[in-house]
Amino acid sequence: VVDRAARTSKGQDLLVELAEALQAPVLDLFGRQNFPSRHPLNQTERGRAIVGQADVIIGLEVNDFWGVINSMTDNIVGTQTRRAKADAKIVTISTQDLYIRANYQEFQRFQTADVSIAADTEVTLPMLIEEVKRAMSGDNKTVAQKRGEDLKKAFNQTKERLLQTAAIAWDASPISTARLSAELWAVIKDENWGMVSRDSSLSNWPHRLWNFDKYHQFIGGSG
């Protein structure tokens, strides 16, 4: 799970290298331009299912890790549900533990971790990738390859579903956010473009339809 992980274009390349070494799904929380939107290991649209199936969840500079692992109904009862499996191992690599210093700030709920590493993710990634590659035996590579094939199939199915969903109410008035995003993409796709805001107000349709693969193409979240 990546949030503010990639500080430079090199950080994005390293995240891709790590994901491909493990053939592991990546969930992007859009704090920065972390991971190519059309890479088959980008499983952001399947986030809830991926978290529920995972044996290990690694958070890289995640601002609200509790919100990844759990869900809450914000009503008078305040029902909380854990999305992740009870025995899922939780690992964090983040600098955020170094600057939390009070209980009334915008850091969301505290999420305990089995392994908490206070470190800069981008600086840490080359060493982590080296160790991962060293640990990947023949059997591990076979399992990873099969996982990657399954994830690619799921990615293609999700992409097709999103295109079908985007076509719903195509001729509605006012124009739908999906059509607005699709029409914009047709105009800018061959230009050197960049999105300098979040796209949550457009129901994340740009990230669902556009090809974000260069670091300068997305400014990330506020803060």
Side-chain angles (χ1 to χ4, degrees), residues 12 16 22 28 35 42 55 71 79 95 109 135 154 177 182 211 213 217 221:
Q12 178 176 249
V16 171
L22 290 164
D28 196 343
F35 203 81
N42 189 329
D55 298 313
S71 61
T79 306
T95 57
R109 292 167 177 79
T177 53
N211 183 22
D213 62 353
Q217 289 174 337

Side-chain angles (χ1 to χ4, degrees), residues 1-28 32-36 39 41 58-61 93 121-122 124-126 128-129 215:
V1 183
V2 293
D3 194 359
R4 297 183 185 273
R7 291 186 289 100
T8 67
S9 58
K10 180 63 174 176
Q12 178 176 249
D13 294 341
L14 290 169
L15 286 169
V16 171
E17 187 176 357
L18 176 64
E20 290 180 347
L22 290 164
Q23 288 297 298
V26 176
L27 311 185
D28 196 343
R32 287 179 174 146
Q33 171 58 29
N34 294 298
F35 203 81
H39 194 292
L41 292 177
I58 304 176
L60 302 178
E61 303 288 357
I93 302 177
T121 290
E122 187 169 321
T124 304
L125 282 173
L128 179 58
I129 291 167
Y215 188 74

Side-chain angles (χ1 to χ4, degrees), residues 2-220:
V2 293
D3 194 359
R4 297 183 185 273
R7 291 186 289 100
T8 67
S9 58
K10 180 63 174 176
Q12 178 176 249
D13 294 341
L14 290 169
L15 286 169
V16 171
E17 187 176 357
L18 176 64
E20 290 180 347
L22 290 164
Q23 288 297 298
V26 176
L27 311 185
D28 196 343
L29 302 183
F30 304 133
R32 287 179 174 146
Q33 171 58 29
N34 294 298
F35 203 81
S37 61
R38 293 188 177 178
H39 194 292
L41 292 177
N42 189 329
Q43 301 285 314
T44 304
E45 285 293 320
R46 301 180 60 242
R48 185 180 292 269
I50 292 294
V51 168
Q53 296 166 3
D55 298 313
V56 178
I57 302 173
I58 304 176
L60 302 178
E61 303 288 357
V62 175
N63 190 47
D64 180 17
F65 207 173
W66 189 95
V68 174
I69 307 299
N70 307 275
S71 61
M72 186 186 78
T73 303
D74 190 10
N75 55 23
I76 194 169
V77 179
T79 306
Q80 298 181 11
T81 306
R82 182 179 168 96
R83 293 174 180 168
K85 295 189 294 188
D87 60 347
K89 298 297 182 183
I90 309 301
V91 181
T92 68
I93 302 177
S94 176
T95 57
Q96 296 199 45
D97 290 345
L98 302 177
Y99 63 75
I100 294 176
R101 61 192 182 280
N103 61 331
Y104 288 107
Q105 292 186 38
E106 296 298 324
F107 299 117
Q108 309 300 331
R109 292 167 177 79
F110 178 72
Q111 174 62 51
T112 58
D114 296 285
V115 180
S116 180
I117 301 171
D120 182 293
T121 290
E122 187 169 321
V123 173
T124 304
L125 282 173
M127 292 174 281
L128 179 58
I129 291 167
E130 182 180 348
E131 292 301 323
V132 164
K133 290 181 176 179
R134 182 179 294 132
M136 291 293 282
S137 65
D139 290 344
N140 288 335
K141 287 182 179 179
T142 300
V143 172
Q145 182 179 359
K146 175 63 167 59
R147 179 168 57 242
E149 292 170 355
D150 292 342
L151 290 169
K152 183 177 181 179
K153 181 179 179 180
F155 176 87
N156 290 333
Q157 291 173 341
T158 300
K159 181 180 178 181
E160 182 62 30
R161 176 178 56 79
L162 287 173
L163 291 175
Q164 294 173 0
T165 303
I168 296 174
W170 187 259
D171 295 319
S173 181
I175 188 172
S176 69
T177 53
R179 180 171 182 177
L180 174 62
S181 301
E183 298 280 14
L184 281 171
W185 176 241
V187 174
I188 69 171
K189 63 181 181 180
D190 296 322
E191 304 292 336
N192 185 18
W193 59 274
M195 173 168 264
V196 292
S197 69
R198 277 295 306 268
D199 56 355
S200 54
S201 60
L202 295 173
S203 301
N204 292 329
W205 277 112
H207 267 98
R208 292 170 164 181
L209 298 176
W210 301 4
N211 183 22
F212 289 83
D213 62 353
K214 296 180 177 61
Y215 188 74
H216 70 268
Q217 289 174 337
F218 183 52
I219 197 171

